[in-house]
Amino acid sequence: MKMLKIVWPLLFLVLSAGCALFTTVTTQKLQAEIPKGVLAVLDKGGNKEHTEQNFLIVKNEDNSPLYKNEASEKIRREYDITVIEDDLTELDPIKSLLSRGWQLCLAGIYFLPMLWIWKAAIGHIVRGYTEYKSQKISKTAARLCAGVFLYLASVGIWYLLICYIDIPQQYLPIAGIWDVGYILNEIQNFHEKVQKFGNQIPVLKDVWRAGKTALIGYGSSILLFLPGWVGMFCRKN
C-alpha cells in the first residue's frame, strides 16, 4: 500500500511529461509547415452570401517579420488590390506562439505548485499574527517576513515565466493572461474563420490543426500532472 502511494503519483508525472514531450515534437513539425508572412483573404465573387475566397501570402524577401499595415501597402502597390486589416492574418506571431507552446504548458504546470507556495506563505503569516503573544518578537517578524517573501517570490517566478515566453501580444496579451473569456473568444473566432474558408484556404486548416494539437496535448499534460502533484502533496502531508 505504501509503495502504491509512491508509484501512482510518479506514474502520472511521467505520463504528463511524456504527453508534453510528444505534443511539443508534433506541434513543432506542424508549425514548421506553416509559411511565414501575412495571409490575405481576397474576395472573388460579388454575391456576399456565396462569395468564393482566394488567398495571398505576402512576405518580406529577407524573411523578416511583416505586419498588417506593411502587408496591406505591399499588396496595394504590387497587385493593385485594396485589403482591409480584418482580411489579413499575421502568420509569424502564430508560428511563434505555437513554438512556445511547451513554455505555456510549463507556466500552467507551475501554477499548481504556486498554489502550495501561497498556502505555505499564508500559514507563516497567520501563525506569526495569531501567536505573536506567545513568541518572541523576532520569531513573529521572521514568520511574517517568510510569508511575504514566499508570496512575492512565487509571483515573481510566474512573472518571469510569462516574460520569458514572450507571448505575441495580439494573440494573448500579458495584461489579459487571466482573461479566459478573451482567449476562448479568440479561439472561437479563428475556428469560425476556418469553418468558413478552410476548404478554399488550406493554410487556415494547417494553422487550426497545429493549434488544436497544442491545445489538446498540453491541456492533457496539465490534467495528467494534477493527480500526480496532488498525490505527492498529500503524501508529504
Side-chain angles (χ1 to χ4, degrees), residues 5-235:
K5 286 183 178 180
I6 297 173
V7 170
W8 77 260
L10 290 175
L11 176 62
F12 275 101
L13 293 177
V14 169
L15 287 174
S16 174
C19 183
L21 180 61
F22 175 78
T23 303
T24 299
V25 173
T26 305
T27 304
Q28 292 288 352
K29 289 180 180 178
L30 292 174
Q31 72 89 17
E33 297 174 1
I34 300 171
K36 290 186 175 182
V38 175
L39 171 68
V41 178
L42 311 173
D43 289 340
K44 289 179 67 179
N47 188 332
K48 291 184 179 179
E49 294 182 359
H50 302 285
T51 299
E52 291 185 16
Q53 301 293 327
N54 196 0
F55 70 96
L56 180 67
I57 297 176
V58 188
K59 60 178 74 174
N60 284 327
E61 293 179 0
D62 59 357
N63 255 352
S64 60
L66 183 66
Y67 303 99
K68 286 185 177 182
N69 58 338
E70 298 171 333
S72 179
E73 176 60 26
K74 194 168 185 178
I75 292 171
R76 186 194 63 78
R77 188 174 62 251
E78 295 183 7
Y79 301 94
D80 196 24
I81 299 174
T82 301
V83 182
I84 61 174
E85 289 199 1
D86 287 344
D87 294 330
L88 298 174
T89 302
E90 294 175 357
L91 298 175
D92 290 343
I94 295 176
K95 287 173 66 70
S96 177
L97 186 60
L98 289 170
S99 68
R100 287 169 169 77
W102 68 272
Q103 295 169 328
L104 280 169
C105 178
L106 182 62
I109 285 175
Y110 168 72
F111 180 74
L112 296 171
M114 186 169 70
L115 295 178
W116 178 83
I117 297 173
W118 285 358
K119 178 179 178 293
I122 293 171
H124 280 297
I125 293 171
V126 169
R127 283 195 298 273
Y129 178 75
T130 57
E131 300 176 13
Y132 73 95
K133 290 182 179 179
S134 60
Q135 62 187 6
K136 294 180 180 179
I137 295 177
S138 59
K139 191 171 183 179
T140 299
R143 281 180 166 176
L144 293 175
C145 289
V148 172
F149 173 78
L150 282 174
Y151 176 78
L152 292 177
S154 65
V155 174
I157 292 172
W158 171 261
Y159 178 77
L160 290 174
L161 272 174
I162 298 302
C163 291
Y164 170 66
I165 295 170
D166 192 21
I167 303 168
Q169 298 234 343
Q170 61 267 59
Y171 292 102
L172 194 59
I174 292 177
I177 190 68
W178 299 109
D179 191 349
V180 178
Y182 170 84
I183 298 170
L184 292 177
N185 187 58
E186 287 290 300
I187 294 172
Q188 182 181 358
N189 288 340
F190 190 80
H191 178 251
E192 289 175 355
K193 186 184 287 187
V194 174
Q195 292 291 97
K196 189 175 181 181
F197 303 131
N199 290 331
Q200 302 168 55
I201 307 176
V203 177
L204 289 176
K205 275 193 170 181
D206 292 340
V207 171
W208 177 249
R209 185 158 57 101
K212 188 168 66 171
T213 298
L215 281 172
I216 294 174
Y218 290 125
S220 300
S221 177
I222 293 173
L223 289 176
L224 286 168
F225 180 84
L226 182 58
W229 174 77
V230 169
M232 297 293 288
F233 178 76
C234 292
R235 189 169 62 85

